Amino acid sequence: MRSFAKMAAASALCILLLNGCKKETIVNYEVNKEPVYEDKARKTKRKSDAEYISILYTNLYQTPISPSQLYKTQSVIYSIGDHNVASEMVLSNYFNTSGLKIPADSYMRSNLDTFITETYKRFYLRYPSEGEKAFFKNYIGNNSNVSVEMVYTAFAVSDEYQYY
Amino acid sequence: MNRKDFFKKAGLATAGGLAAPYILPSGRLFGRTNTPKAEYVVLVMFAGGVRQQESVLKRYLEDSQEVSGASGNIMPNIFNGGFPTKKVVFGTDLPGNPKGSEPIPRILSSSLEQTGTIFNEVNAQSAGHYVGLNTLVTGSTGTAQGLKVRPRYPTIFEYLRRHAGFKATDTWFIANTIGNSTPLLNCSNNAEYGLQYGGNMFAAPVTFGSMGREILGNGKPYSRTDLEPMYFMKNFLDQSFGLTADQMMSIKNTDEERTIIKEFIRTVFQRQTAGQIVKPPVTDNGDAVNISYAAEVLRYFKPKMLAVNMSSVDGCHSNFTGYLRSLHRADHAVGWLWNYIQNNIPEMSGKTIMIIAPECGRNLNPNPILDENDWYAFDHSDSNSLRVWAAMAGKNVPNLSVGGPGNTVGRLTDIVPTIADIFGIYDEVMASPYIDPLAKSLFLRM
């Protein structure tokens, strides 16, 4: 009877030793890589004039604006009551200079889908909705006089571009 | 329908068309509340703190520097009276003569005092510039008005756009600087009015100065055919974003108005190059330059209401001689502008009222700063700074002299009600809770 009890205790100890120390399994969880773009509904903060000019200049020239040029542009925009008028004129000056990094009209027409998506990403930091894409595809496709310059001007003076 | 019925119905329809209220672009039902007195108003915000003594009282150096026998009028286009004959320093320079010894000849054949109404003693509501300027464009006393922010209460531009249905390009403010709070005076941040009813504005020395030429002067002259697709796409993008009224960033012109304003800016640069900018004969300070561009705006847009600011007189803080020169030139610029409207803008000639008023006065006693002639300078902070004058001339303005020392008639807050009265929206504007309760049209104080 006593030896039976010893054997039971020894068996229990063996079971405990065998099951009590199990090697830990390492599990790694990852997140699928997805580009993050802002949604227009979340743009509630207005860019200051300096931010607007700096971002616009960088968007068009792919290089930062100089402090002196920024100061002058800011002053001139501030001196005109309708800032849209001022911005449109600043843009038309930019489009009359060399050094702009913008696609050619022929590229736009032969790669319309890509151009529309790239333009939304460039100016609005987001993808276009299907409705927006359809509008531009239709409008640019049906109007041969529409140039990249016109599209960029429309984006650069639009309300959404003033917000982040 | 017989002949009698036809005439009866036609007559009723015509009368109804004339008398019935009409719907404003804002959707409001509008009916004029009084008969308009003129079609156009030019308000000159004159000119940076003006002492009564050297202006309407014509005391020249007698009261300021205690120079006996040196009284006289240095503002001949606005006030009656001959120039001082002693120690003349306010004019232009003639070779071989003391500096400033040649007074600028009067431009107008008759002074505004001879043709219009002078309110000789008016109460200013503030001894400071920005609150004073606020008072001139809002009709409120400017209490609690902060600096570097838009006016708290609606401006005359907003009243006119909202209650008289004026377009944005019908109302202009020509600022003389982008410094301080001046370029913010074209509209308030009032929730009921604000940017959607704001007037157009140029800070002319910047927009049309060297910076403006560099930043704006090389633009592509887009044709209307070019602009149409741009605006079409922009409007699509804006509708998609759906900005609310309280998120507006700028005053609103229509696409057509924006196109016209851009054409105007380009035209000014072209006229500069060709030496065609209209200007007073003597243009040796900033005020005259600003008045020049005000005239260009009047010539091009024929706006119903334009306000122009001048401020060179404020040099009086440290230079009394310079102050006298600026005062003389401000009068010269005003005389030239009035003459230009009458003789060069046929649409406005005989249909305009010009109102001139300083935003504040200056002190009775000087500060210790001496200028080149050993004359003391004056600041603006005491009760003498609350003494100003106002002048009106033009269509339906009688020839009167109202009030005088010891008999104050009028307040600077009267300017907005007066303009509202001129355009026939007096009751609507006076019903606004933001107008000084003591203010009223200057026509009712005559």
Side-chain angles (χ1 to χ4, degrees):
Chain A
M1 187 67 187
R2 188 182 280 177
S3 62
F4 175 76
K6 279 182 181 174
M7 278 185 64
S11 303
L13 186 63
C14 284
I15 291 168
L16 194 68
L17 284 171
L18 286 172
N19 290 308
C21 295
K22 193 178 177 184
K23 192 178 180 185
E24 191 177 339
T25 311
I26 297 170
V27 179
N28 289 321
Y29 294 95
E30 291 183 353
V31 178
N32 291 340
K33 285 185 179 173
E34 287 290 340
V36 178
Y37 292 96
E38 280 200 57
D39 183 72
K40 64 184 172 188
R42 291 185 195 150
K43 291 179 184 169
T44 54
K45 292 179 183 168
R46 194 191 148 195
K47 293 173 188 168
S48 67
D49 284 346
E51 287 167 337
Y52 171 79
I53 297 160
S54 305
I55 294 167
L56 174 64
Y57 191 93
T58 309
N59 267 349
L60 295 177
Y61 291 93
Q62 305 287 302
T63 183
I65 191 170
S66 71
S68 138
Q69 189 74 3
L70 175 61
Y71 168 74
K72 288 184 211 170
T73 311
Q74 202 177 344
S75 299
V76 170
I77 288 182
Y78 194 50
S79 78
I80 298 176
D82 187 337
H83 287 199
N84 279 322
V85 167
S87 303
E88 287 169 24
M89 290 204 72
V90 167
L91 269 168
S92 78
N93 268 261
Y94 286 166
F95 282 120
N96 221 8
T97 61
S98 57
L100 282 177
K101 302 276 194 301
I102 63 171
D105 289 346
S106 55
Y107 172 85
M108 173 180 78
R109 297 215 166 264
S110 55
N111 302 278
L112 205 43
D113 279 330
T114 311
F115 172 78
I116 294 165
T117 303
E118 290 302 318
T119 303
Y120 266 86
K121 283 163 64 182
R122 186 170 189 164
F123 284 93
Y124 289 173
L125 303 176
R126 68 175 175 85
Y127 283 100
S129 67
E130 287 306 314
E132 290 167 331
K133 206 186 282 185
F135 166 82
F136 277 102
K137 207 170 166 180
N138 188 42
Y139 189 72
I140 297 170
N142 290 334
N143 293 278
S144 55
N145 61 327
V146 174
S147 62
V148 172
E149 188 175 323
M150 289 176 184
V151 177
Y152 274 28
T153 300
F155 273 82
V157 298
S158 70
D159 290 340
E160 185 173 344
Y161 192 59
Q162 318 274 341
Y163 279 77
Y164 66 96
Chain B
M1 186 187 296
N2 63 30
R3 188 179 151 91
K4 190 178 169 186
D5 282 347
F6 171 77
F7 281 119
K8 190 176 170 185
K9 285 180 179 173
L12 282 171
T14 307
L18 290 172
Y22 58 90
I23 305 292
L24 288 172
S26 60
R28 281 174 61 89
L29 192 63
F30 168 69
R32 282 216 165 91
T33 55
N34 60 288
T35 308
K37 293 177 169 57
E39 287 85 341
Y40 303 94
V41 169
V42 174
L43 169 64
V44 180
M45 299 151 90
F46 188 103
V50 178
R51 266 167 53 98
Q52 290 287 85
Q53 286 79 359
E54 291 78 43
S55 53
V56 68
L57 296 177
K58 303 154 195 166
R59 302 288 293 160
Y60 192 44
L61 299 172
E62 286 227 8
D63 289 348
S64 56
Q65 312 299 335
E66 298 180 357
V67 178
S68 177
S71 63
N73 177 26
I74 63 170
M75 299 171 62
N77 290 286
I78 299 176
F79 301 120
N80 294 336
F83 290 127
T85 52
K86 197 170 180 180
K87 291 186 182 288
V88 174
V89 297
F90 52 85
T92 51
D93 301 340
L94 274 184
N97 288 299
K99 193 177 167 193
S101 61
E102 186 67 20
I104 305 169
R106 186 171 78 189
I107 287 183
L108 299 175
S109 55
S110 306
S111 71
L112 298 182
E113 186 170 1
Q114 284 173 300
T115 56
T117 299
I118 303 290
F119 290 85
N120 296 287
E121 191 76 28
V122 172
N123 180 232
Q125 276 64 66
S126 164
H129 298 297
Y130 189 52
V131 175
L133 295 172
N134 253 274
T135 302
L136 288 174
V137 297
T138 64
S140 77
T141 54
T143 311
Q145 176 62 49
L147 294 172
K148 291 271 186 184
V149 287
R150 289 195 178 279
R152 285 165 56 88
Y153 304 123
T155 62
I156 185 61
F157 310 109
E158 293 154 81
Y159 285 127
L160 291 173
R161 289 199 60 202
R162 179 166 169 181
H163 299 296
F166 288 1
K167 296 179 297 180
T169 45
D170 284 334
T171 57
W172 281 89
F173 173 55
I174 308 300
N176 59 331
T177 173
I178 57 166
N180 303 317
S181 314
T182 311
L184 301 173
L185 287 166
N186 62 324
C187 87
S188 70
N189 57 18
N190 185 280
E192 295 169 47
Y193 291 82
L195 286 163
Q196 60 185 322
Y197 296 111
N200 272 295
M201 186 277 293
F202 288 132
V206 177
T207 314
F208 304 115
S210 57
M211 273 199 277
R213 278 187 78 86
E214 182 184 333
I215 303 299
L216 308 175
N218 190 37
K220 282 189 176 178
Y222 294 123
S223 67
R224 292 184 185 223
T225 318
D226 292 333
L227 288 170
E228 196 181 321
M230 287 188 209
Y231 287 145
F232 188 79
M233 288 184 281
K234 174 188 154 45
N235 291 337
F236 167 79
L237 293 167
D238 289 349
Q239 279 168 17
S240 176
F241 190 56
L243 207 62
T244 54
D246 62 329
Q247 289 177 302
M248 282 176 68
M249 299 152 289
S250 173
I251 68 147
K252 274 281 187 238
N253 286 285
T254 62
D255 293 349
E256 176 68 14
E257 286 177 303
R258 286 210 303 280
T259 303
I260 295 169
I261 294 169
K262 287 188 287 184
E263 281 172 3
F264 170 73
I265 294 171
R266 273 192 294 276
T267 303
V268 167
F269 291 137
Q270 287 163 3
R271 285 169 65 82
Q272 282 178 346
T273 306
Q276 294 172 336
I277 297 292
V278 295
K279 57 187 177 187
V282 177
T283 319
D284 58 5
N285 74 0
D287 285 347
V289 172
N290 215 38
I291 286 283
S292 293
Y293 289 110
E296 288 286 336
V297 169
L298 289 170
R299 186 183 63 79
Y300 197 86
F301 292 96
K302 284 98 186 170
K304 294 184 184 301
M305 160 73 198
L306 177 141
V308 55
N309 186 36
M310 298 196 284
S311 71
S312 294
V313 161
D314 198 34
C316 192
H317 282 293
S318 60
N319 184 343
F320 192 78
T321 303
Y323 160 75
L324 295 172
R325 290 168 68 90
S326 296
L327 203 51
H328 188 51
R329 280 154 180 74
D331 168 86
H332 172 69
V334 167
W336 174 82
L337 184 63
W338 186 236
N339 198 48
Y340 184 80
I341 292 167
Q342 301 310 321
N343 296 319
N344 297 86
I345 311 178
E347 295 87 344
M348 296 179 71
S349 176
K351 298 174 189 167
T352 304
I353 291 176
M354 179 183 262
I355 303 171
I356 307 148
E359 78 271 28
C360 64
R362 298 197 93 86
N363 288 355
L364 183 64
N365 297 310
N367 65 32
I369 302 173
L370 290 170
D371 67 12
E372 65 202 85
N373 289 309
D374 281 345
W375 292 340
Y376 287 106
F378 288 81
D379 302 320
H380 42 94
S381 56
D382 70 5
S383 59
N384 199 60
S385 304
L386 300 179
R387 297 177 62 199
V388 290
W389 47 270
M392 290 168 65
K395 189 177 179 184
N396 285 321
V397 177
N399 183 214
L400 293 171
S401 179
V402 182
N407 179 24
T408 302
V409 178
R411 299 163 64 78
L412 283 189
T413 47
D414 291 344
I415 301 299
V416 164
T418 304
I419 297 170
D421 192 9
I422 291 168
F423 285 119
I425 54 165
Y426 187 64
D427 290 347
E428 289 237 8
V429 171
M430 292 308 286
S432 161
Y434 309 113
I435 297 286
D436 172 14
L438 298 177
K440 61 177 175 180
S441 168
L442 287 171
F443 284 95
L444 301 176
R445 296 198 191 271
M446 291 175 179

